Amino acid sequence: MGKQDNKVNNKNSGKDGPQAGKAKTRKGTPRLSRKDYEAALEPMLMELMQVSRWLAHTNKRLLVIFEGRDTAGKSGVIHAIASALDPRRCEVVALPKPSDTEMTQWYFQRYVPHLPAGGHIALFDRSWYNRAGVEKVMGFCSGEEHKRFLREAPMFELSLVNDGMLVFKYWLTVDQAEQEARFAERLADPLKRWKLSPVDVVARTKYAEYGKARNAMLKATHTAHAPWTLVDFNDQRLGRLTLIRHLLDHLPDQVVPEKAFEMPPLKGKPARESYSDAHRPISPFTSPLISPLDIGNSND
């Protein structure tokens, strides 16, 4: 682990990573297999747990911002990180569009209540940088509001860093062919269709405009105190590993011993649940795909 970089990092550091599987990205390069992905992820999750203990021990605050085009993979990497952490100390922040009241507030105001407290982590699935991206491209803010945001965002973030907050900003990159394939997958899968919106349909035709808006954002808001790091997410599994590894390598390497617990043996035979005649568990779920033996042998 080391100090945070001061230059935009847009290199794919996963070239020397785990062996790739047979599936390919739209570019034709090998895509990381699930088996190799899970094998590489597990030790990182253990390190994330150690980070959480260190934050709790020192009362430090960690803010991680995830930005990128639609379908880039923000929610997937956030889920991977949060899955290993105590949900009481790790908040995933994904705000809806501002209300009429919020539209009249100072622009950053609606985000401030979600900043992490001491010992906590906040993972922002999009952030105040909505103004630099979707609001700019889709015309949801004026040109003057956009310019003012680019001037004020570095100052706002400097105040967070000066107050002791650890701030990381990641932009997830994805090519248009890969983005189109993911949009098509969402459209075809009823369980993913909720991710689509009318804005997404229009945004598909504005790939170049989003790129220009991103470049302007990076130029104005990539600072020494809160730099941007770009991560290639055309292969989402490899992208997650690359991002998480970078985050871990740029946090202090401090080991806080895990609290030890003793669990002496129970006295006597373990008890079974007992119920009154009026209250009983409902009948178990049945399916032709599940055998009664499988149910009886389940430990979950």
Side-chain angles (χ1 to χ4, degrees):
M1 294 185 179
K3 295 181 179 179
Q4 193 167 346
D5 294 334
N6 289 331
K7 295 182 179 180
V8 175
N9 177 8
N10 60 2
K11 294 182 180 180
N12 183 353
S13 60
K15 291 181 180 178
D16 298 324
Q19 182 181 359
K22 295 182 179 179
K24 295 181 181 299
T25 64
R26 315 304 161 189
K27 291 180 177 180
T29 56
R31 195 185 296 269
L32 190 67
S33 71
R34 178 177 294 277
K35 180 180 178 181
D36 286 343
Y37 164 71
E38 292 178 348
L41 178 63
E42 184 174 358
M44 294 187 196
L45 297 183
M46 297 297 292
E47 290 186 65
L48 284 169
M49 292 172 63
Q50 175 60 43
V51 167
S52 182
R53 287 198 295 271
W54 172 75
L55 291 169
H57 179 73
T58 60
N59 221 30
K60 293 285 188 180
R61 296 161 290 166
L62 175 59
L63 168 65
V64 189
I65 291 172
F66 301 84
E67 293 287 346
R69 301 174 185 274
D70 293 319
T71 79
K74 297 179 290 295
S75 60
V77 68
I78 289 172
H79 174 74
I81 294 171
S83 66
L85 303 176
D86 182 348
R88 294 167 295 183
R89 290 188 171 273
C90 178
E91 180 185 8
V92 176
V93 181
L95 300 184
K97 68 178 183 180
S99 65
D100 291 342
T101 300
E102 289 172 330
M103 291 286 288
T104 68
Q105 296 173 343
W106 175 50
Y107 178 73
F108 296 94
Q109 186 170 340
R110 68 193 297 249
Y111 297 99
V112 171
H114 300 280
L115 294 173
H120 288 243
I121 302 170
L123 308 175
F124 274 59
D125 186 348
R126 295 193 184 277
S127 64
W128 41 86
Y129 283 102
N130 272 337
R131 176 138 294 179
V134 63
E135 291 188 22
K136 162 65 175 173
V137 175
M138 301 302 293
F140 297 155
C141 69
S142 68
E144 178 53 37
E145 287 173 328
H146 176 249
K147 291 178 182 178
R148 184 165 67 247
F149 169 81
L150 294 181
R151 292 194 305 268
E152 293 181 352
M155 294 185 288
F156 174 65
E157 292 165 2
L158 180 59
S159 68
L160 301 181
V161 173
N162 285 344
D163 198 51
M165 189 175 298
L166 301 170
V167 178
F168 291 83
K169 302 186 302 190
Y170 290 100
W171 179 274
L172 283 52
T173 73
V174 61
D175 295 334
Q176 191 170 25
E178 184 68 31
Q179 184 186 48
E180 281 292 286
R182 294 176 190 176
F183 274 134
E185 182 183 5
R186 291 180 179 184
L187 184 62
D189 187 346
L191 297 179
K192 294 183 178 181
R193 207 167 293 153
W194 63 270
K195 296 183 178 182
L196 290 173
S197 72
V199 174
D200 295 333
V201 176
V202 179
R204 289 179 54 247
T205 67
K206 296 181 179 291
Y207 188 90
E209 289 89 335
Y210 270 97
K212 292 178 182 178
R214 178 205 58 210
N215 292 343
M217 177 199 76
L218 293 175
K219 183 178 179 180
T221 64
H222 176 67
T223 60
H225 59 270
W228 281 100
T229 298
L230 275 59
V231 186
D232 186 340
F233 260 69
N234 283 291
D235 180 337
Q236 293 194 68
R237 292 171 185 160
L238 184 57
R240 291 172 201 162
L241 296 177
T242 304
L243 189 154
I244 296 171
R245 184 70 265 159
H246 179 275
L247 177 63
L248 290 169
D249 287 347
H250 290 77
L251 287 168
D253 191 4
Q254 300 288 338
V255 176
V256 178
E258 188 174 3
K259 185 177 180 180
F261 293 93
E262 292 187 6
M263 298 186 68
L266 293 173
K267 296 180 179 179
K269 188 177 180 180
R272 296 178 62 89
E273 287 275 19
S274 61
Y275 316 94
S276 67
D277 290 338
H279 298 92
R280 298 262 176 193
I282 61 175
S283 300
F285 170 76
T286 59
S287 167
L289 302 178
I290 302 176
S291 103
L293 291 176
D294 291 335
I295 297 175
N297 292 331
S298 174
N299 292 320
D300 296 332

